[in-house]
């Protein structure tokens, strides 16, 4: 029996050492990134790439402190903002054994890769796909941003706040652009705003010259019926918006009304870095919504990292990309060690809705904890509004206000010039007073300050003054007559 006890004692002694040895050589799990490092959403892709890099660094430090059984590796592929390229890049990642992917960023790309992801049991978390038609329960796609039915409400609330009565919509004819256009059109019509015309374009060959010509004609008709501050152009585009602005500035009517964008153009460097595009977008007070996550301590860390690396602040979708890595890491940790990657994917898929609402996730999330809906999309959100303004010799994005989702209302904030967006909107587009009013001669000081009551009083007083003077003369005449009569009687 003594030898059995000795063996057991030896096993208890070396067990912790064995465990330590096993975790000292953790398994590497690669997270794939499908991001648009070039193409129409290059700005978004670069910011998301930096945020994901930071998240992997932080999570590996966290996993090391936890002595976890795995560490993360990151492989990012450039989708060029093209759906077909995104499919090729996903196939490449799958060939490398990748089972967890952050991206793609556009809905058209997500729609294209979704079939492969479901077939290959690859879990995808898009930080920025918002198309309503991709809200599908129980697939392998999560989206850490709200869908466009929420964004369309933000645009509708803005239109109502500005007092718009008619709009023209221009949109990309793709999964995202058509979905947001239809949702926005319905919201506007429900709020009593006329959608006079919709111009949809092929992003590969947009023919902006023709669109600008037709837009100018349509706005000319609308401006005969409505005031400039009652009409707007709603543009649902990516960075090709810059080229449309360059065309639109050539026409007289296109710059007479405000332009409203979407999250596809909000904060795009391409728009403000081009002087012609910047000038036109500033002139038409180009204002754009983008989903606004709650501020967290982690958000400040991510912002610092991205700004040091790229010189710009991360947008909300970059923050969501960061949080996708955090969610995957925490879910894998909860799922436990296994060599069966398909089994691991299934467990992570089940755990993510719980993980993103946990306090542990909130510690490392740049957008805070949040609920997912049945389709695996972010369930609630506010939106910030950003406007292009000229600051010094350059053009830049300035935060102009926020859409409060739960309250369905828009709140404007003071801009650097001390005015609100609504102030600028009215100053820029409200019609000038009519010539009749402006050329009317200024009344005399007496009548200017006199109210109707005072005028009546003044008139009455003058009448009384006149009555007193006449009475006095009559009295004097009567007195003279009496005196003459008295003298005559005395002589008798």
């Amino acid at each position: 029996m003594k030898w059995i006890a000795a063996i057991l004692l030896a096993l208890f002694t070396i067990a912790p050492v064995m465990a330590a040895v096993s975790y000292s050589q953790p398994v590497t799990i690669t997270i794939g990134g499908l991001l648009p490092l070039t193409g129409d959403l290059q700005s978004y892709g670069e910011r998301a790439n930096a945020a994901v890099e930071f998240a992997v660094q932080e999570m590996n430090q966290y996993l090391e402190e936890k002595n976890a059984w795995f560490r993360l590796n990151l492989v990012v592929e450039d989708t060029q903002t093209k759906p077909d390229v995104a499919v090729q890049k996903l196939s490449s990642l799958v060939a490398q054994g990748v089972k967890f992917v952050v991206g793609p960023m556009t809905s058209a790309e997500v729609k294209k890769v979704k079939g492969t992801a479901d077939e290959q049991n690859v879990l995808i978390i898009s930080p920025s796909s918002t198309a309503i038609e991709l809200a599908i329960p129980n697939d392998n796609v999560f989206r850490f941003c709200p869908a466009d039915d929420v964004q369309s409400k933000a645009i509708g609330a803005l239109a109502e706040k500005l007092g718009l009565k008619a709009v023209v919509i221009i949109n990309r004819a793709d999964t995202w652009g058509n979905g947001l256009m239809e949702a926005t059109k319905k919201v506007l019509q429900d709020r009593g705003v006329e959608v006079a015309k919709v111009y949809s374009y092929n992003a590969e060959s947009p023919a902006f010259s023709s669109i600008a010509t037709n837009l100018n004609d349509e706005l000319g008709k609308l401006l005969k019926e409505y005031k400039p501050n009652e009409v707007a152009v709603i543009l649902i585009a990516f960075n090709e918006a810059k080229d449309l602005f360059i065309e639109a500035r050539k026409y007289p009517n296109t710059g007479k009304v405000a332009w409203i964008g979407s999250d596809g153009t909000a904060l795009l460097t391409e728009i403000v870095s081009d002087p012609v595009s910047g000038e036109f977008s500033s002139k038409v007070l180009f204002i754009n919504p983008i989903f606004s996550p709650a501020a967290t301590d982690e958000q400040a860390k991510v912002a610092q990292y991205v700004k040091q690396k790229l010189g710009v602040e991360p947008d909300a979708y970059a923050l969501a990309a960061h949080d996708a890595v955090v969610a995957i890491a925490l879910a894998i940790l909860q799922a436990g060690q296994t060599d069966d990657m398909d089994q691991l994917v299934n467990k992570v898929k089940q755990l993510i809705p719980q993980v993103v609402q946990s306090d542990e996730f909130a510690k490392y999330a740049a957008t805070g904890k949040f609920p997912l809906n049945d389709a695996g999309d972010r369930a609630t959100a506010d939106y910030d509004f950003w406007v292009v303004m000229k600051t010094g010799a350059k053009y830049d994005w300035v935060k102009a206000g926020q859409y409060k989702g739960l309250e369905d209302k828009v709140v404007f904030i003071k801009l650097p010039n001390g005015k609100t967006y609504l102030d600028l909107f009215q100053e820029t587009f409200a019609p000038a007073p009519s010539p009749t009013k402006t050329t009317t001669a200024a009344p005399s000081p007496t009548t200017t300050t006199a109210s109707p009551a005072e005028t009546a009083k003044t008139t009455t007083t003058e009448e009384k003054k006149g009555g007193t003077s006449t009475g006095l003369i009559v009295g004097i005449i009567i007195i003279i007559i009496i005196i003459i009569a008295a003298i005559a009687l005395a002589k008798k």
Side-chain angles (χ1 to χ4, degrees), residues 159-405:
E160 188 171 276
K161 183 82 172 181
L162 297 177
L164 298 181
K165 294 184 177 177
V167 302
V168 176
I169 299 178
I170 303 172
N171 73 283
R172 288 172 66 103
D174 62 10
T175 303
W176 168 76
N178 287 335
L180 181 55
M181 179 272 289
E182 291 292 348
T184 302
K185 184 178 175 182
K186 182 176 186 310
V187 167
L188 290 171
Q189 289 173 336
D190 289 346
R191 291 178 183 259
V193 179
E194 176 189 353
V195 179
K197 205 80 175 181
V198 175
Y199 298 110
S200 302
Y201 64 87
N202 183 339
E204 299 295 326
S205 54
F208 282 146
S209 177
S210 173
I211 288 179
T213 301
N214 293 332
L215 174 64
N216 182 69
D217 293 343
E218 187 62 32
L219 289 175
K221 296 175 188 173
L222 290 174
L223 290 174
K224 291 179 181 176
E225 185 175 357
Y226 301 105
K227 300 171 185 173
N229 61 342
E230 294 173 339
V231 180
V233 176
I234 294 179
L235 176 60
I236 300 171
F238 291 160
N239 67 1
E240 70 273 8
K242 178 193 73 174
D243 299 323
L244 176 58
F245 288 155
I246 293 172
E247 284 296 325
R249 76 185 177 92
K250 301 174 183 175
Y251 297 84
N253 295 324
T254 55
K256 291 181 179 176
V257 301
W259 287 52
I260 298 172
S262 71
D263 60 342
T265 41
L267 300 174
L268 277 183
T269 306
E270 294 90 331
I271 289 177
V272 293
S273 61
D274 182 280
V276 177
S277 168
E279 180 184 10
F280 182 81
S281 55
S282 171
K283 177 183 177 182
V284 297
L285 303 181
F286 188 43
I287 186 168
N288 296 250
I290 186 169
F291 110 85
S292 172
T296 66
D297 293 340
E298 182 67 15
Q299 189 177 116
K301 295 178 185 177
V302 179
Q304 184 180 14
Y305 181 87
V306 174
K307 194 162 187 177
Q308 283 180 347
K309 183 158 187 174
L310 302 176
V312 295
E313 297 279 348
D315 56 82
Y317 297 134
L319 300 175
H322 166 279
D323 289 356
V325 174
V326 175
I328 291 170
L330 295 182
I332 292 175
L333 191 61
Q334 286 192 32
Q337 187 169 6
T338 177
D339 294 330
D340 187 334
M341 290 303 289
D342 283 326
Q343 186 181 60
L344 182 61
V345 169
N346 294 336
K347 285 185 178 178
V348 169
K349 184 178 168 183
Q350 292 176 352
L351 287 167
I352 278 185
Q354 304 166 28
V355 165
V356 295
Q357 296 190 74
S358 69
D359 292 338
E360 192 69 359
F361 177 77
K363 291 179 186 175
Y364 299 93
T367 65
K369 60 182 180 181
F370 56 88
L372 294 170
N373 61 22
D374 293 340
D377 302 336
R378 197 180 192 106
T380 60
D382 294 336
Y383 280 78
D384 285 337
F385 284 105
W386 292 81
V387 63
V388 177
M389 292 187 71
K390 189 172 187 179
T391 54
K394 65 176 186 177
Y395 300 94
D396 209 348
W397 291 98
V398 177
K399 185 175 177 180
Q402 190 176 59
Y403 169 70
K404 305 282 188 183

Side-chain angles (χ1 to χ4, degrees), residues 482-492:
I482 292 172
I483 293 172
I484 293 172
I487 294 172
L489 288 174
K491 287 181 176 180
K492 287 179 180 180

